[in-house]
Amino acid sequence: MKEALHVEWTKLRTVAGTAWLLAAVVLLTVALGVAASAVVSCSGLGCGQDPAKISLTGIAFGQAVVAVLAVLAVGGEYSTGMIRVTFAAIPRRSTVLAAKALVVSGLVSVAGAAAVLVSVLAGRIILPGNGFTEAHGHATLSLADGPVLRAAVGSVLYLVLVGLLALGVATAVRDAAAAIGVVLGLLYLFPIVAAVVSDPDWFKRLQRISPMTAGLAVQATTGVGSLPVSPWAGLGVLGLWAAGALVVGGSLLRWRDA
Amino acid sequence: MEATIEVTGLRKRFGPTVALDGMTFTVTPGKVTGFVGPNGAGKSTTMRAILGLDSVDAGHALVGGRPYRTLRHPLRQVGSLLDAGALQPARTGRNHLLWLAHSQGLGARRVDEVVGQVGLASAIRRRAGSYSLGMRQRLGIAAALLGDPPVLVLDEPVNGMDPEGIRWMRGFLRSLAAEGRAVLVSSHLMSELQDTADHVVIVGRGKVIADVSVADLIESASGDRITLLTTARTQAMTVLAHAGATVAVTGADTLTVSGLSGERVVAVLGENAVPFSEVSAHRASLEEAYMELTRDAVEFHAAVAEEAAR
């Protein structure tokens, strides 16, 4: 396993695309977080806004880049046929998949932590100017605040789980373009479909099983009681999606010809 | 470990297509074994099965007595090159070898050694995407040699190489076998294996048609025939036929004679004062021997089919 990790680390570090994509995760997440913090304002007590969630808006966009990064870690080997070289060198295919999952998770954690820290810091600086003040019932954004810390850590984990979901899907479909389509579809189509469902019960059900809507519940710091799923349970839903994708991908990997 | 490949009764279907139909042969150390047959005969599928990449419906392939997938550091036992294009173009050749080395617990020093061995040092820090096909083949050979394996499995390694590269590859394969390694090299062209292979496994439709040493194959195809160079072709044909030989014209001044020994040919020509410049034992080329063998196989198939139809 140690050798397999070394292999996957060497593979990812020796293509320029990895560094660019990680930088894009940070920049896109921070840029959209800053933009959201700059345009949303709180007019008075009970304005119904959630400052932590606003500052972390960029996660919903940075996830797309994370998905691309994870898909390419597998899909890039299938498109070139290099996957056969990999399996000739390491015949235990589950070990290869596990090593890829760990290395991608590590890289996404680092990029995600950087993106989240800068986003929260930007929110802390920008939001008070937009009416998010003590007078309107909002404390200054701080990671010392339990729910804010949960939102921040949860957002990093959210990105990691999106990466694992994408890795599993890419392993199952063996084609980078198709895998990116499936992953982005899973993430972004659920909220759109949910929006056109008029039945409130079904609306709530869809939100509960939607990997993105449920997963991002972990960012909520206000009105937690009225969420369709509780924050950690929501992240758990995304975790189940990721685990399911990895199990399906791993099983197909085992039974199919390389 | 004994450096052998043992393939026993491999069967595999892709849907309605039978890819392997009881493929059985052994590759022994110290020899280059050619693996020859037309495209679609099952060569690549067999090689993938040996390397544990494709599963089979029946039979087994063992390397040094063990299934490939149970080997701890497989590249230290079996070096392989299936497809020289199977690399990510954005990575440098050196980094491609580096991750492979890491997978076998080897380091950068071993990478530099094999790069020197295949003569790719000047280009190794360039993106592999910029390599010519010949350079990719060399990189693939370097990858196969990383673990200094006693067994090598190479799928069409000279495909796309220039004449100079082909000459290099031939010498290189011979030297690897001379070091005692078992070398299995596939090709769809028998002529590519001339002067390279010691032994050939000839396949068609997923099974072995012939498993024979190159020396025996050429000898049997050559028969007891004599090649005769003469400017007096008609005259020579007449007197030799009269002496009981079968004579065929194989060139402007060349006759192939069978049914008479070389000494008798010389004597008959001398008695009749027919001029000639050379008499030699006919030596078939590998390609010729292959054609003869596969023609027999085709005729055999045709005869069986006819019988079945009756």
Side-chain angles (χ1 to χ4, degrees):
Chain A
M1 189 64 200
K2 209 176 130 214
E3 280 165 0
L5 280 173
H6 196 182
V7 165
E8 295 307 326
W9 165 242
T10 306
K11 280 185 194 165
L12 278 176
R13 126 185 120 66
T14 55
V15 285
T18 308
W20 286 111
L21 286 169
L22 288 171
V25 170
V26 178
L27 287 176
L28 197 64
T29 304
V30 169
L32 284 150
V34 167
S37 296
V39 297
V40 179
S41 60
C42 183
S43 51
L45 261 177
C47 63
Q49 299 287 359
D50 184 338
K53 200 170 173 59
I54 291 165
S55 71
L56 292 169
T57 304
I59 294 291
F61 299 90
Q63 67 176 356
V65 186
V66 168
V68 171
L69 174 80
V71 161
L72 289 182
V74 178
E77 293 204 33
Y78 274 106
S79 63
T80 56
M82 196 175 88
I83 196 76
R84 292 206 183 100
V85 182
T86 296
F87 289 149
I90 308 172
R92 289 189 61 118
R93 299 180 186 177
S94 52
T95 303
V96 173
L97 183 61
K100 283 187 187 292
L102 281 171
V103 172
V104 166
S105 297
L107 290 174
V108 171
S109 305
V110 171
V116 163
L117 283 176
V118 179
S119 296
V120 170
L121 186 66
R124 180 188 168 95
I125 294 165
I126 299 167
L127 286 172
N130 290 350
F132 289 87
T133 54
E134 296 271 1
H136 291 164
H138 291 294
T140 311
L141 215 49
S142 163
L143 292 179
D145 187 5
V148 176
L149 182 63
R150 186 248 299 139
V153 172
S155 293
V156 177
L157 291 176
Y158 175 88
L159 289 181
V160 169
L161 290 174
V162 167
L164 293 176
L165 170 66
L167 197 71
V169 169
T171 306
V173 305
R174 297 193 284 189
D175 177 85
I180 289 169
V182 169
V183 174
L184 296 187
L186 273 177
L187 292 173
Y188 294 119
L189 277 185
F190 259 101
I192 294 171
V193 171
V196 297
V197 170
S198 51
D199 184 274
D201 284 342
W202 272 103
F203 176 71
K204 209 165 181 183
R205 270 180 213 138
L206 279 174
Q207 285 199 315
R208 275 192 196 133
I209 60 161
S210 155
M212 176 167 151
T213 312
L216 286 178
V218 83
Q219 293 183 339
T221 57
T222 61
V224 171
S226 61
L227 289 169
V229 271
S230 71
W232 287 116
L235 198 65
V237 169
L238 176 61
L240 286 177
W241 276 97
L246 284 173
V247 166
V248 170
S251 309
L252 288 171
L253 198 62
R254 197 180 153 81
W255 296 116
R256 271 189 312 218
D257 287 342
Chain B
M1 124 179 171
E2 176 80 47
T4 56
I5 301 171
E6 294 160 77
V7 171
T8 314
L10 291 189
R11 289 180 189 279
K12 184 177 179 67
R13 302 178 75 96
F14 292 109
T17 318
V18 177
L20 299 179
D21 187 14
M23 184 73 78
T24 303
F25 63 91
T26 302
V27 181
T28 48
K31 281 184 199 166
V32 175
T33 300
F35 192 31
V36 198
N39 290 324
K43 303 188 297 291
S44 296
T45 308
T46 303
M47 287 184 155
R48 285 201 301 272
I50 292 169
L51 300 176
L53 296 171
D54 280 14
S55 61
V56 288
D57 303 333
H60 53 89
L62 301 177
V63 182
R66 292 177 60 185
Y68 187 91
R69 288 177 83 159
T70 67
L71 299 174
R72 160 101 175 87
H73 280 131
L75 302 191
R76 294 184 181 208
Q77 325 259 13
V78 187
S80 58
L81 170 58
L82 293 189
D83 173 8
L87 40 78
Q88 286 178 310
R91 195 174 283 122
T92 66
R94 190 168 187 281
N95 284 330
H96 178 72
L97 295 175
L98 196 58
W99 74 253
L100 267 173
H102 289 159
S103 74
Q104 310 300 307
L106 300 165
R109 189 200 291 180
R110 180 64 191 150
V111 169
D112 294 330
E113 280 172 17
V114 292
V115 167
Q117 244 179 307
V118 301
L120 206 56
S122 60
I124 202 65
R125 287 173 192 275
R126 272 168 41 198
R127 292 171 65 250
S130 70
Y131 289 5
S132 68
L133 185 49
M135 289 162 83
R136 286 179 199 204
Q137 299 277 28
R138 283 177 192 250
L139 183 64
I141 295 289
L145 292 175
L146 263 181
D148 193 20
V151 177
L152 285 149
V153 174
L154 311 170
D155 197 2
E156 306 257 357
V158 301
N159 208 0
M161 274 194 152
D162 55 18
E164 192 260 334
I166 292 175
R167 206 175 320 124
W168 171 80
M169 183 71 81
R170 281 179 174 166
F172 201 68
L173 295 179
R174 291 236 45 84
S175 70
L176 291 172
E179 290 164 11
R181 300 177 214 258
V183 184
L184 180 66
V185 186
S186 78
S187 176
H188 63 281
L189 296 172
M190 194 66 160
S191 55
E192 280 183 352
L193 294 169
Q194 182 104 40
D195 307 326
T196 309
D198 307 284
H199 196 91
V200 283
V201 174
I202 299 171
V203 294
R205 297 179 184 211
K207 59 182 157 202
V208 175
I209 295 172
D211 184 343
V212 62
S213 82
V214 168
D216 287 351
L217 179 63
I218 288 181
E219 198 184 325
S220 72
S222 306
D224 291 325
R225 285 178 288 179
I226 304 294
T227 301
L228 172 65
L229 280 180
T230 171
T231 47
R233 211 172 64 186
T234 324
Q235 206 184 340
M237 283 177 81
T238 313
V239 299
L240 288 171
H242 196 71
T246 310
V247 187
V249 181
T250 46
D253 291 334
T254 316
L255 297 175
T256 301
V257 185
S258 47
L260 281 186
S261 70
E263 282 159 26
R264 278 290 295 147
V265 170
V266 173
V268 168
L269 292 174
E271 281 162 21
N272 294 281
V274 180
F276 63 93
S277 55
E278 190 184 321
V279 174
S280 56
H282 173 77
R283 191 174 159 74
S285 71
L286 201 50
E287 182 72 23
E288 210 178 315
Y290 174 56
M291 295 306 283
E292 196 149 302
L293 197 81
T294 47
R295 193 188 56 222
D296 290 350
V298 169
E299 279 166 6
F300 170 74
H301 285 308
V304 169
E306 218 168 273
E307 212 155 284
R310 230 182 278 150

